[in-house]
Amino acid sequence: MKPTSFFGTLLLLTLFCSGALQAQDRQLTFEDIMRWEDLSGEVISGNGQWLAYEVWPDRGDGEVRVRSVEGDTGYTLELGEDPAITPDGQWVGAYREVPFGAEGDDAPVQGMFLLNTGSGDVQEIDSVSSFQFSEDGRWLAIRRMLADSVSEAYDDNGHLGAPLRLMNLQSGANEELSFVSDMAFDSTSTWLSYSVVDTSGSGNGLYLRELSGGGATHTAAAMEDALFDNLAWDHDTGRLAFTSAPLDSTYFSGTADLQLWSSDGMQTRTLVAGSEVPEQWWLRSDNDLEWTRDNNRLFFGVQNRELMEADLPGSGDSGEEDEGEADPYDMQEILDEKSVDVWHWDDPLIKTHERETWNQRKGQLYRAVYHLDTDEYVQLATEEVPDVEANHDPEVTLASSSMPYRKQMTWDGFYSDYYIMDLRTGEKTLITERLDGGVELSPGGNYALYFRDKDWHLYDVGEESTQNLTDGMEVPFWDEDHDYPSPTPGYGVAGWIEGEEQVLVYDKYDIWSFDTESGEAANLTRDGRQRHLTYRIERLDYDRDYFAPDERLLLEAFYDREKYEGLFSMRLDRRGTTELLGEPLNYEVGQQADDADRILFTKESYDLYPNIWVSEGMDFSETRQLTDLHDNLHADYNWGRAEIIQWTDVKGDTVRGAVIKPDDYDPDQRYPVMTYFYRFFSQRAYEFNNITNDDRPVLPQYVSDGYVVFLPDVHFTVGFPGPSSVKSLVPGILKLIDMGIAHPDKLGLHGHSWSGYQTAHIITETDIFDAAIAGAPVSNMTSAYSGIRWGSGLARQFQYEQTQSRIGGSLWEYPERYIENSPVFFADRIETPLMLMFGDEDTAVPWYQGIELYLAMRRLGKDAVFLQYHNEPHHLQRYGNRLDYAVKMKEYFDHYLRGMPAPDWIEEGVPYRGGN
């Protein structure tokens, strides 16, 4: 600790008395953060007349707010969450959450609100598990919760139905349906389908309720002790696909049938009987049914029978008890109690990965298709090629397999072979092998586009030929900022033009059109590269397959050097763009009203909260602000303002970063600086900071308390991630000192996870920082390399050889790199006080990495504190722990950078006294 001098103390007192520290009265406190309200979940009615959104604090109770888009009418639903609006805007539904802190048997359960926007009347309905409006907004179906007594009495049957209330929103009439296990409105709002599973099993069936006329109910299928599930209406012809299967207490033994009910004739027929499926497959109710848009094909799935049967209850136990005396020397009986995994060198997956993916692999659906025009079932996916897309094209689809590369994913990343698959026969044609990215199949099935070896390749399905679209072009289409050892990716496919004569592709800045026949390229946006302006299409309707040849598109654009955004438009039949909104901010385009020319959007910056705005049309010439949350940040707090600076790193390259200064910044003073970073953070000058108490510092809190916050970019060189961090970041710190902003003896560094590692490494190479905080850092790459990412079960080797850790090879190829980039080997050089933090159930970075560095510094007599949070993952979850760490972060920097008295946990530690 650097003591404050007598004159320094006197100066502080003088400043305080003179009011110069008035900004302290506007400090963002931990309590302010707990009370901080955020806006989310916004939806607009189909007619564009009503807006609903949530406002919830970091801790405590929130609400749903509803307001008219054109007028001033507004309503508040306290405890409301997840709102939905009918297309005409007349009705708003929202869940009613349980009040904060409500516990015990008498605590309320989740309910719902139903608001009539015309009258303002609100109905409250108790015990609601889910609700859904019909497509036309005339009906509301409300799934109720089962009473505890019923649930406990029948807890063997997880599919026991619950009460369902069907409300006619026009007449106000209600109908109660019992024991409903699943329900679905059709898209034309003509029918409600619902399945019943009752306590006795005698009433189990699938029923169709007419939503017009006399409201008659029809039985589609009924069978005692059966489950009718996966209710899937086609798009507009009144046909309902579903599965039916025997239901017993385990729900495992039943084989399902795929069935179809049609409103034309009110008939049900079996499309695929479970007994017809080949022996290695199992058609079950655990399924996913998907119609093509032309309603001519129905996709479903089968499962691997061997894997499913291996996991049946009792499959490893005869269930017979051995009568008589136990033989203490019976080897088989003793061995029956063994619990062992055998790790073989040639296993496709390592055992931890096998274990973590067991449920996913066991339950994987191998896609099949039923052709309604020919009444044929075709099995598409196989164990060798398990992944098949549900494509809307009538002839072909895309299939892929990573099976040949499962072993390699341990150290080399993720690869797949890709195929074109015939939907009629299941036959497949190889497109490309061992691809580390994806393949984009055109909606009409004529072409497949993929990126390999820094070029875009277009495969012609009919010709079975491939052309390189970008070979020899002067403009690079690969990621120009890619600083990983893995293969360089492209920037993505923007979409297809109607007729599939053109496909749109991104480079770093511009949008290009490629002729699918000739391969001829055209730069549609023209000036992105010259202006360092990155154009990207903002899709407003993801259900559309194509862009029209003359369509006008909305674009988000990012100024790569200045770090802010703009909104633009372009016509596909012309070259160039038109600026719509150019104020230096960050823009996010949200929902467009289905039946009105209104678009929701937000604009934000470090000191501008992202409130909701609406545009009257796509030209954004007429916009209005609809919400006003946190509109007075600078009046309420010493929030600060952000700016972009740049400097030159040790290689001579330009690096940028954001600097956030307090509102009352004095250019004649030098400030303590808290540096927070990861990879590219400079753009956060135009992003609103997330205000929540957790393991990330709340930037305005530090700014409001007299800090300057620095958010630098970091550029990496493969093989040298640690030194790269130093070479990018430290010159930025020196730039702040040269500019007269930073106090050279009050410099703090903070990082978590990947930047936690960087923080730990940086302080082994420089003592420029006066305090550092590293959350969940890797400290020893030699031991971490062959560790496990427990969340996925994957080995960590691929991360070092190919991805984020950027070593570029194995431990045996580059042992010196693993050592040179490991902070623990250079802990003796650390002169900076360091606080480490880990959750001891971290599934991303093994928490023993923190122990290694802590023990090294302890052995060397270095100033280190290690915070171990019990039963916590990579990012802290329990609010008490999140708040504790946030407080300790602030206390740590306040002590070392501002000379505040050290709390006991820094000065003396905290002795163990039992408990956790």
Side-chain angles (χ1 to χ4, degrees), residues 489-643:
Y491 287 99
V493 181
W496 299 82
I497 307 298
E498 236 167 56
E500 301 194 355
E501 295 177 356
Q502 293 176 313
V503 61
L504 306 181
V505 175
Y506 296 125
D507 74 4
K508 180 174 181 177
Y509 299 105
D510 288 299
I511 303 170
W512 292 74
S513 170
F514 287 88
D515 187 288
T516 54
E517 182 68 28
S518 66
E520 182 180 352
N523 185 344
L524 300 182
T525 47
R526 299 183 67 178
D527 63 356
R529 186 164 294 274
Q530 288 74 26
R531 299 174 65 183
H532 291 269
L533 182 58
T534 298
Y535 292 110
R536 294 295 181 259
I537 296 173
E538 182 60 52
R539 300 199 69 156
L540 298 173
D541 184 357
Y542 280 93
D543 291 332
R544 290 180 56 204
D545 290 332
Y546 298 106
F547 297 121
D550 59 351
E551 187 166 345
R552 187 183 182 205
L553 299 177
L554 181 63
L555 309 179
E556 286 187 349
F558 177 70
Y559 290 86
D560 185 47
R561 292 179 173 175
E562 293 81 6
K563 307 300 181 183
Y564 61 81
E565 292 185 347
L567 285 183
F568 289 73
S569 67
M570 64 173 283
R571 284 275 300 267
L572 284 174
D573 57 349
R574 302 175 187 174
R575 304 285 181 87
T577 63
T578 301
E579 185 177 63
L580 305 177
L581 295 178
E583 189 180 0
L585 298 169
N586 184 48
Y587 298 92
E588 293 292 336
V589 177
Q591 183 183 357
Q592 182 179 31
D594 291 337
D595 303 314
D597 200 17
R598 283 180 172 162
I599 301 171
L600 298 181
F601 70 101
T602 63
K603 46 187 180 181
E604 66 178 303
S605 188
Y606 164 78
D607 57 344
L608 179 65
Y609 186 81
N611 276 294
I612 300 172
W613 289 64
V614 65
S615 170
E616 301 290 343
M618 207 175 73
D619 60 4
F620 285 75
S621 60
E622 184 182 342
T623 64
R624 286 176 290 121
Q625 184 174 343
L626 298 181
T627 65
D628 58 0
L629 212 61
H630 308 300
D631 258 2
N632 298 303
L633 287 174
H634 291 286
D636 295 338
Y637 305 101
N638 185 359
W639 197 265
R641 301 180 190 276
E643 62 187 67

Side-chain angles (χ1 to χ4, degrees), residues 279-294:
E279 186 177 352
Q280 74 267 32
W281 302 118
W282 199 348
L283 176 56
R284 299 179 63 247
S285 282
D286 185 7
N287 220 300
D288 179 24
L289 310 187
E290 185 173 348
W291 288 91
T292 55
R293 280 193 281 273
D294 61 9

Side-chain angles (χ1 to χ4, degrees), residues 301-514:
V302 296
Q303 293 169 306
N304 183 304
R305 181 177 289 273
E306 180 185 359
L307 294 182
M308 291 302 303
E309 290 180 338
D311 203 39
L312 289 178
S315 60
D317 182 4
S318 66
E320 299 178 1
E321 293 187 10
D322 186 18
E323 298 182 1
E325 294 185 8
D327 181 354
Y329 305 107
D330 186 326
M331 289 186 61
Q332 188 57 53
E333 186 174 334
I334 297 169
L335 289 173
D336 284 344
E337 299 177 4
K338 71 180 182 296
S339 178
V340 60
D341 288 331
V342 178
W343 296 51
H344 190 273
W345 73 272
D346 204 28
D347 284 339
L349 305 176
I350 62 174
K351 282 295 174 283
T352 50
H353 195 204
E354 277 190 309
R355 182 181 295 274
E356 290 299 325
T357 59
W358 167 246
N359 287 331
Q360 175 266 320
R361 290 183 293 112
K362 171 176 64 72
Q364 175 165 342
L365 289 173
Y366 291 81
R367 188 158 272 143
V369 65
Y370 190 88
H371 295 274
L372 275 296
D373 57 351
T374 60
D375 286 329
E376 291 180 300
Y377 145 56
V378 181
Q379 183 61 48
L380 301 174
T382 65
E383 293 181 78
E384 293 75 26
V385 183
D387 301 310
V388 177
E389 290 186 2
N391 189 34
H392 293 284
D393 177 72
E395 303 299 331
V396 299
T397 190
L398 188 69
S400 63
S401 176
S402 62
M403 302 300 284
Y405 314 107
R406 290 194 301 169
K407 186 176 179 181
Q408 290 172 252
M409 75 171 63
T410 302
W411 64 86
D412 196 30
F414 304 87
Y415 301 93
S416 290
D417 298 335
Y418 285 87
Y419 303 86
I420 293 296
M421 182 167 284
D422 190 305
L423 286 171
R424 298 285 180 178
T425 66
E427 294 179 357
K428 59 186 184 298
T429 303
L430 182 68
I431 302 173
T432 185
E433 294 180 287
R434 202 175 183 274
L435 188 69
D436 67 312
V439 172
E440 172 95 6
L441 182 65
S442 66
N446 296 305
Y447 300 97
L449 189 65
Y450 60 93
F451 194 82
R452 179 193 284 280
D453 299 328
K454 296 189 174 183
D455 280 310
W456 284 103
H457 301 263
L458 185 70
Y459 177 83
D460 187 310
V461 174
E463 298 293 332
E464 296 186 8
S465 61
T466 302
Q467 63 172 315
N468 188 324
L469 294 178
T470 53
D471 183 36
M473 292 185 65
E474 294 182 2
V475 174
F477 281 82
W478 62 88
D479 186 344
E480 298 176 45
D481 298 309
H482 187 72
D483 52 13
Y484 301 90
S486 59
T488 305
Y491 287 99
V493 181
W496 299 82
I497 307 298
E498 236 167 56
E500 301 194 355
E501 295 177 356
Q502 293 176 313
V503 61
L504 306 181
V505 175
Y506 296 125
D507 74 4
K508 180 174 181 177
Y509 299 105
D510 288 299
I511 303 170
W512 292 74
S513 170
F514 287 88

Side-chain angles (χ1 to χ4, degrees), residues 761-818:
H761 183 90
I762 287 169
I763 61 174
T764 68
E765 289 199 35
T766 177
D767 61 0
I768 195 172
F769 294 100
D770 299 276
I773 299 174
V778 164
S779 65
N780 184 351
M781 288 192 176
T782 67
S783 60
Y785 169 76
S786 288
I788 300 294
R789 294 183 66 93
W790 294 105
S792 63
L794 285 167
R796 297 177 57 81
Q797 292 172 339
F798 76 91
Q799 180 176 330
Y800 294 86
E801 296 193 34
Q802 291 290 318
T803 62
Q804 188 180 62
S805 298
R806 295 176 172 86
I807 295 298
S810 72
L811 180 61
W812 303 277
E813 292 174 281
Y814 300 113
E816 71 286 348
R817 290 186 183 181
Y818 282 85

